[in-house]
Amino acid sequence: MSLVLKLRSERAELNTQLQELAKLEAGGTNLSAEQLTQFTELETQITALSAKISRAEIAERAAAAAAVPVDEGAAGIASPPAGRVEGPYGKPAAGAGMAQMVRLLAQAQGNQMYAAELAKQGGFDQGVQMALSTVTPGAGGVLVPENFSTEVIESLRPKSIVRKMGTRSLPLNNGNLTMPRISGNTAVTYIGTEEDIPVTGMTFADTQLSGKKAAALVPISNDLIRNAGVNPRVDQLVANDLFTSMGLSEDLHFIRSDGGSGKLPKGLRYWALPGNVIDAPATPTLAQIDLFLGGMMLRVEAANGDMAGCGWLMAPRTLRWLQSLRDGNGNKAYPEIETGYLKGYPVGLSNQIPTTLGAGGNESEIYFANFADMMIGEDMDLVIDFSKEASYKDAGGNVVSAFQRDQTLVRVIAKHDFGPRHVEVIVVATKVTWGAGM
C-alpha cells in the first residue's frame, strides 16, 4: 500500500470517531470533559495527517514525473485498461463494472474509501470510481448502484435457464407487484335484428409478487485478487462466478421451490394446477412417448396459451435419452434435439431439476410452459459483502474455511419473486424415469 493510501485510511478512521462525537452533540447530548478532550485530540491528529498527506502526494507526483513511461495498463502489459474489459465489437463486457467493484472491494476488504482510491490509481473507468466513492455502506454490505445491478440482471439471462427461456423481468415497486390477469373470457355472441346484446364480461384475478431475499456465496481465490494487476481477464472470471452462482440459485427456486412460509418464491412445479401435473409412462413405446409429449402441449393449447412463447425444461439425463431414441428404420426419433428443439419448441436443460425423486430415487420431471407468461419481479438493489474468515459449505456439504483456503468469500444478496400471469399454461410431467439406466 502506498504511503498516501495508508495515511488517508488512518485519517478516515479518525474522522469516523470525530463524526460520532459530533452527532452526539448535534442530537442534544452534552459532551463530557473526556469526550471534549478526545474531540480536540482527534482534530489535531486529523490536521497533522492532512499535512503529511499533502507532502506525501507532492513526493509521489515528483516520483511519477521522473519515471520512465511504460506501455502497460492497469490490467496488464499491452492489455486494455483495467476499467475496460472488452466484450464483442470492442464494447465493455456486460457486468464488468460490477465485477471490478467486487474485486476492488474484496481487495480492500470492504473498505470503500480504500477501494475507491485503488480504482483511481489503477485507471479504472470513471463509473467504477464514482460508484465506489458515492455508494453508502450499510450493515449488510455495500449497495450496488442501480446501473450496475441492471447490468447484472441482464447478464443473468444466459446463466439462468428460466430467464433464457423468455421469462419477463419487471421491477418491484417498494418490494411488491400486483398484476391483473384474465381468469374468464368475454362471451361473444351474434344477435339478430332488434335483439338485446347479452351482458357479458371478463373476470379477473391477481398475481401478486413480493421481494424474497436470495443470497449467493462466491469464493474468490486471493491469488486471483493479488494478481489482478497483471491479468486482463480477472474481472471476467469474477463476473462469470457471480452470475453462474446467482443463476443456479434462481433456477433452483423458480423451478421447484414450494414457496414455503412465504419466505421463498414459488416455482413452476407448485404454480401448476393439480390437473396439469401428470405422471409419465414408466416403460413407454416410442408412440406412447410421442403421444404423452403431445398431450402436454395440448393442455397449454386448450388453455388458449400463446404457443409462440412456449418451451421445455428437463434434466440433461432426460434429453439425452430422448436424443438416443430410434424409430423402426434406425433413424433418430427427434433429430431436432441436435438444434435445441423438441417437437418444434426450444428445450432448456437444468441440473436443478433433480433425477433422484420418488421412492426409488430415480425419478425426474419435464416442464412445458408458456414462458412469455412468466414474470420475475426484480428489486433493483443488490448488496455485496466480503469476508476472509467466514466458512461455507461446498456442493458436497463439506464445511470449507475461506481463511484456510486463502479465499475471499463474496456474498451477494438480491430480492425478487417469480410467478405466472396464468397458471393454466404450466404443465409438469412427474415420475419420469426415462434414461435412469444411462
Side-chain angles (χ1 to χ4, degrees), residues 89-419:
Y89 309 107
K91 295 181 180 180
M98 165 73 168
Q100 290 169 346
M101 186 176 175
V102 167
R103 171 161 66 83
L104 289 165
L105 281 166
Q107 189 173 350
Q109 280 300 289
N111 186 324
Q112 185 183 327
M113 294 185 66
Y114 179 32
E117 189 62 34
L118 288 174
K120 183 178 179 181
Q121 290 200 348
F124 283 75
D125 183 80
Q126 286 292 328
V128 176
Q129 295 182 38
M130 185 175 295
L132 289 166
S133 300
T134 58
V135 294
T136 304
V142 177
L143 187 65
V144 177
E146 187 168 326
N147 59 320
F148 285 175
S149 63
T150 302
E151 268 192 14
V152 170
I153 289 169
E154 285 305 310
S155 298
L156 281 173
R157 190 162 297 278
K159 300 293 184 181
S160 163
I161 195 64
V162 175
R163 289 180 185 269
K164 190 176 182 180
M165 295 301 289
T167 301
R168 301 170 189 266
S169 176
L170 300 170
L172 292 177
N173 184 18
N174 296 322
N176 294 283
L177 175 67
T178 300
M179 289 291 290
R181 61 185 178 89
I182 300 169
S183 57
N185 290 330
T186 299
V188 179
T189 60
Y190 292 92
I191 59 174
T193 305
E194 296 183 357
E195 288 184 7
D196 292 336
I197 300 173
V199 177
T200 62
M202 296 181 178
T203 56
F204 293 88
D206 289 332
T207 296
Q208 295 181 332
L209 304 180
S210 60
K212 310 292 194 303
K213 184 166 73 172
L217 292 175
V218 184
I220 300 176
S221 165
N222 286 332
D223 287 338
L224 196 66
I225 295 172
R226 295 185 194 104
N227 295 332
V230 295
N231 190 335
R233 300 303 174 202
V234 166
D235 297 317
Q236 197 60 60
L237 289 171
V238 173
N240 285 339
D241 283 351
L242 284 169
F243 301 154
T244 299
S245 297
M246 294 175 70
L248 289 173
S249 175
E250 286 190 354
D251 283 344
L252 178 67
H253 294 94
F254 294 168
I255 297 174
R256 296 203 81 256
S257 172
D258 62 4
S261 305
K263 297 179 182 179
L264 302 172
K266 186 159 68 170
L268 290 165
R269 172 65 180 81
Y270 295 94
W271 275 112
L273 295 172
N276 277 358
V277 180
I278 52 180
D279 293 347
T283 54
T285 64
L286 181 55
Q288 289 172 326
I289 292 168
D290 207 49
L291 186 63
F292 180 77
L293 296 176
M296 293 181 68
M297 297 163 56
L298 180 60
R299 289 170 184 264
V300 176
E301 290 172 325
N304 295 317
D306 178 11
M307 300 303 288
C310 287
W312 304 89
L313 289 183
M314 60 186 71
R317 182 192 81 179
T318 306
L319 184 73
R320 297 307 161 212
W321 185 81
L322 289 169
Q323 188 180 32
S324 69
L325 293 179
R326 298 292 189 272
D327 63 19
N329 297 319
N331 300 314
K332 289 184 177 181
Y334 300 106
E336 60 185 333
I337 286 179
E338 305 291 343
T339 61
Y341 285 79
L342 175 63
K343 296 183 76 67
Y345 293 96
V347 181
L349 297 182
S350 176
N351 284 313
Q352 303 296 57
I353 301 174
T355 56
T356 55
L357 301 172
N362 63 344
E363 296 175 3
S364 188
E365 295 169 339
I366 299 174
Y367 295 77
F368 185 76
N370 173 17
F371 288 94
D373 209 52
M374 305 298 127
M375 303 178 297
I376 299 174
E378 310 269 14
D379 188 325
M380 302 307 292
D381 291 339
L382 288 178
V383 178
I384 51 177
D385 205 0
F386 311 86
S387 175
K388 281 187 176 180
E389 292 77 29
S391 297
Y392 62 96
K393 288 185 179 180
D394 62 16
N398 303 308
V399 177
V400 179
S401 167
F403 182 81
Q404 192 172 7
R405 288 279 180 92
D406 192 24
Q407 295 172 337
T408 292
L409 200 60
V410 180
R411 183 183 66 192
V412 184
I413 295 178
K415 290 183 179 180
H416 48 231
D417 201 2
F418 174 84

Side-chain angles (χ1 to χ4, degrees), residues 12-74:
E13 291 177 4
L14 294 174
N15 181 58
T16 299
Q17 298 175 42
L18 185 74
Q19 295 303 319
E20 288 176 355
L21 292 173
K23 285 179 182 178
L24 287 175
E25 192 166 38
T29 302
N30 292 324
L31 298 182
S32 64
E34 182 181 352
Q35 288 172 321
L36 288 170
T37 302
Q38 183 185 5
F39 190 98
T40 303
E41 290 176 352
L42 288 170
E43 183 182 18
T44 302
Q45 292 176 46
I46 290 172
T47 302
L49 278 173
S50 296
K52 286 184 180 180
I53 290 169
S54 296
R55 292 191 293 272
E57 286 176 339
I58 292 171
E60 283 194 0
R61 284 196 295 269
V68 177
V70 178
D71 184 19
E72 180 175 359

